[in-house]
Amino acid sequence: MNSLRIEERDDRVIVTLNRPEKRNAIDAGMVAALHELCASLEERPRLLLLTGGAAGVFAGGADIGQLRDRGRIEALAGINVGIFERLRRLPMPSLAAVDGPALGGGAELAYACDLRICTSRAFFGQPEVRLGIMAGAGATYRLPALVGETLAKEMLFTGRRVPAAEALAIRLVNRVVEEPDELLPAAHALLDEIAAGSALAVRLTKLAVDAPAAHPVAELLGQAVLFEDDEKRERMEEFLSRRRPS
């Protein structure tokens, strides 16, 4: 687990990518560590905050030294896409806090999170075609869903880097902060907003939104569970009591 630094709290887990000497490049060791993290969050669901630490980089991409030596068998195994899919399916919301570059697999790691905030010096890009490969860990379908097909194709075809201001304008990120030291407080503030709600309601909402095909049945089933939940009754009774005349 050396490639990740993990801080556990009651309602969230803060994970810092920890390969600063390699610009947090995603290698097999980090993938294994992320699988262990996912197993823990599947067993005990909590919010996830994922960040690149104080090195001024979120993740510079997949480890090129390892990619160079992979063949079609490894490509078909979906080493990186597998862990990113698992991150995406976590029971509770995840938030990527991005400072500096998020490129290639690093950008795809951020896309796999439910929410993204970044600093003003952050930027995102998919340079894979310039290395003779294609974005193969989620960008070809997550990026169009996030920013639209036309812009996603431009980013994927050219490898152009998208700076923070543009990322906010195209809704690739939820928020931008000016300074690096504002990033984690802003990330925790957003998670605090989520944590203020019913954990079960948040979990079922995420499940409905992430369903492979949007369907009213997903909402109906989630709502049916919540209508029988004691916390729902307590929260609504509290709401009504604040509005009753004294």
Side-chain angles (χ1 to χ4, degrees):
M1 298 291 280
N2 290 339
S3 57
L4 302 179
R5 286 192 285 110
I6 298 176
E7 177 189 346
E8 300 201 30
R9 301 185 185 178
D10 288 341
D11 65 348
R12 72 195 63 174
V13 176
I14 301 98
V15 176
T16 304
L17 306 180
N18 190 37
R19 298 188 74 212
E21 75 286 355
K22 295 289 187 180
R23 294 170 59 82
N24 287 337
I26 302 165
D27 67 347
M30 185 179 288
V31 169
L34 287 169
H35 275 295
E36 290 188 33
L37 169 71
C38 286
S40 172
L41 290 172
E42 290 159 356
E43 181 178 352
R44 182 187 168 200
R46 284 160 291 169
L47 301 170
L48 171 63
L49 171 56
L50 188 63
T51 183
V57 57
F58 179 70
D63 191 301
I64 301 301
Q66 291 186 2
L67 280 184
R68 180 194 57 202
D69 297 327
R70 290 178 185 171
R72 62 178 179 272
I73 300 302
E74 290 82 8
L76 291 170
I79 295 169
N80 286 1
V81 73
I83 184 54
F84 295 168
E85 288 290 336
R86 192 173 183 183
L87 281 166
R88 183 65 173 180
R89 292 194 306 268
L90 286 174
M92 293 294 284
S94 55
L95 169 63
V98 179
D99 181 30
L103 298 172
E108 289 171 305
L109 175 58
Y111 307 155
C113 292
D114 296 293
L115 305 169
R116 286 155 296 283
I117 67 172
C118 70
T119 65
S120 58
R121 67 181 183 179
F123 54 90
F124 301 80
Q126 301 298 150
E128 287 88 349
V129 293
R130 299 183 181 183
L131 294 169
I133 58 174
M134 60 181 285
T140 59
Y141 51 92
R142 288 203 180 96
L143 200 50
L146 289 168
V147 304
E149 180 180 322
T150 301
L151 184 52
K153 283 181 174 177
E154 178 190 338
M155 291 175 64
L156 292 164
F157 294 165
T158 67
R160 180 173 71 84
R161 296 179 174 186
V162 173
E166 183 181 356
L168 181 62
I170 63 177
R171 305 308 298 164
L172 183 57
V173 300
N174 298 83
R175 301 176 187 177
V176 176
V177 298
E178 284 300 318
E179 301 299 330
D181 61 4
E182 298 173 349
L183 182 61
L184 288 184
H188 282 294
L190 182 51
L191 291 182
D192 289 343
E193 292 181 43
I194 297 171
S198 158
L200 181 59
V202 169
R203 180 172 179 177
L204 290 172
T205 299
K206 173 174 162 59
L207 195 63
V209 173
D210 287 347
H215 198 288
V217 170
E219 291 184 357
L220 292 175
L221 290 175
Q223 197 73 299
V225 172
L226 290 166
F227 271 24
E228 297 292 330
D229 186 49
D230 290 341
E231 186 175 351
K232 165 251 187 181
R233 188 173 298 277
E234 292 168 3
R235 284 175 175 269
M236 290 190 175
E237 181 60 34
E238 181 185 354
F239 176 88
L240 292 171
S241 66
R242 291 198 300 265
R243 282 155 178 76
R244 292 186 185 122
S246 56

